[in-house]
Amino acid sequence: MMKKLIHNKFDKHKITGLPIAAFKGKIEVVTTHEEARSAVEYLMTQSILGIDTETRPSFRKGQTNKVALLQVSSKDVCYLFRLNILGITPEIKYLLEETKIKKIGLSLTDDIPALGKRLDFKAGGYIDIQNIIGGIGIEDMSLQKIYANIFGNRISKGQQLSNWEAEVLTPAQQRYAATDAWACIMIYEEFCRLKESGDYELEIVPVKEPVLAETVKETNE
């Protein structure tokens, strides 16, 4: 059986032609305290979760917005907590601080402090893919490149700059948000499998030398 071929760096130009990967499970939008309690009750029964956040983009220099959406996914169900409506409820805070459940994310050094601007909490149980993926030789840090490298599929980023504080999140926004959280679980579990089994070959992509313009030496006669 052939080993999985992965690259230390994935060519971003190849991503466009890959098949789309999307979360196919159930998506629940959470806007009330009762829904939040029910969601956390389910999530607390899981051994591993994917986590991500979305923030309404700001196009004015110096202006930033608070996290609008917290998405937390199991392999089958993703809950979209609308923090711009709910804030961080006691139940959500408890989930964010829980240490027994693995919470897998990417660039958590950005997400956790951003969540902390809504409510101070003590983060527990988090694993940042960016901190471990080098263990199998992958140097890319973006979710899209890592997923394409490992699975040969493309995660669409088309909704990234959409309005995450809109009155109603569109189906496209919901699927995008859920996919990012779910993909973290998929990457982590495959990383663990490859790391333990050694069932992969790492191809080092040669560094392209910069093309230098020819220097034309002018002479004065």
Side-chain angles (χ1 to χ4, degrees):
M1 184 179 293
M2 291 182 63
K3 293 185 175 182
K4 174 175 284 192
L5 178 65
I6 59 175
H7 305 82
N8 66 316
K9 289 182 176 292
F10 195 85
D11 186 348
K12 65 180 180 180
H13 300 294
K14 293 181 179 179
I15 293 177
T16 307
L18 297 176
I20 287 282
F23 178 64
K24 294 181 172 61
K26 185 178 181 181
I27 301 173
E28 296 280 355
V29 180
V30 179
T31 59
T32 70
H33 284 254
E34 185 177 345
E35 289 171 344
R37 282 192 294 270
S38 178
V40 171
E41 186 177 325
Y42 164 78
L43 293 168
M44 290 296 295
T45 67
Q46 305 300 301
S47 60
I48 186 169
L49 298 169
I51 188 168
D52 193 23
T53 66
E54 303 298 338
T55 301
R56 180 181 180 177
S58 174
F59 301 104
R60 292 183 181 179
K61 187 176 180 180
Q63 179 182 336
T64 58
N65 296 312
K66 289 185 178 180
V67 174
L69 191 72
L70 167 67
Q71 53 264 47
V72 186
S73 183
S74 69
K75 293 179 183 179
D76 305 306
V77 185
C78 184
Y79 290 94
L80 307 182
F81 296 92
R82 301 210 63 188
L83 301 185
N84 59 305
I85 297 172
L86 275 171
I88 295 180
T89 68
E91 293 82 12
I92 296 172
K93 181 175 184 286
Y94 182 79
L95 177 66
L96 292 173
E97 294 184 333
E98 168 58 46
T99 59
K100 295 178 182 178
I101 302 171
K102 289 180 180 177
K103 294 189 280 286
I104 316 301
L106 185 138
S107 192
L108 291 172
T109 52
D110 295 325
D111 285 347
I112 291 174
L115 286 166
K117 290 180 180 179
R118 280 208 170 269
L119 183 73
D120 189 40
F121 67 95
K122 186 178 180 181
Y126 293 90
I127 298 173
D128 194 328
I129 290 169
Q130 290 183 339
N131 292 339
I132 64 171
I133 201 66
I136 55 173
I138 293 177
E139 298 173 27
D140 289 318
M141 293 286 106
S142 79
L143 185 73
Q144 190 181 50
K145 281 188 176 182
I146 295 170
Y147 197 92
N149 197 346
I150 292 178
F151 295 108
N153 292 104
R154 172 169 62 96
I155 293 177
S156 172
K157 305 308 276 184
Q159 296 296 317
Q160 188 173 25
L161 297 179
S162 60
N163 181 9
W164 294 102
E165 295 181 13
E167 185 176 351
V168 177
L169 295 180
T170 66
Q173 283 180 305
Q174 293 180 34
R175 189 67 58 189
Y176 168 89
T179 297
D180 275 8
W182 162 81
C184 289
I185 300 176
M186 299 298 102
I187 291 171
Y188 176 75
E189 290 193 336
E190 183 66 358
F191 162 80
C192 291
R193 186 189 75 81
L194 294 175
K195 181 73 173 173
E196 183 177 347
S197 67
D199 185 28
Y200 68 94
E201 290 184 9
L202 179 68
E203 182 175 286
I204 305 299
V205 178
V207 178
K208 293 181 180 179
E209 295 293 335
V211 178
L212 301 177
E214 289 185 4
T215 303
V216 178
K217 185 177 180 180
E218 295 183 354
T219 58
N220 295 321
E221 295 181 353

